[in-house]
Amino acid sequence: MADYDGDGHMPYILDGNKITIFYNDFVQKGTITSAENDTLKIKWVEFDFETKYVKFKN
C-alpha cells in the first residue's frame, strides 16, 4: 500500500517501472526512475521533476 496522508491503505498497481496509485479522490501515475538502498525516485506524469522518497526507521 502507498501512503500520502498517514493512512497507508491506498491500493496500487506496479507494472515494470510504471506505478499507478488509486487514492480516494484521484489516480496518480508515474515512472520509477530509481530504487536504490532506502531511496525511491518517481517521475509523476503531471510534474516535470522527479520526487524523491526516503525510507526512515522510527
Side-chain angles (χ1 to χ4, degrees):
M1 299 292 184
D3 177 14
Y4 80 109
D5 66 356
D7 180 1
H9 292 92
M10 298 298 125
Y12 66 92
I13 296 173
L14 186 58
D15 183 14
N17 69 335
K18 304 293 183 189
I19 188 167
T20 303
I21 302 176
F22 300 92
Y23 296 109
N24 293 329
D25 49 351
F26 67 99
V27 174
Q28 189 170 30
K29 295 183 179 193
T31 301
I32 297 171
T33 58
S34 177
E36 297 180 9
N37 301 319
D38 290 339
T39 303
L40 173 68
K41 294 180 183 177
I42 300 176
K43 168 66 176 74
W44 296 110
V45 170
E46 45 295 309
F47 300 110
D48 291 330
F49 56 87
E50 287 180 325
T51 303
K52 181 179 176 181
Y53 301 91
V54 179
K55 178 181 176 181
F56 62 93
K57 298 174 184 167
N58 276 339

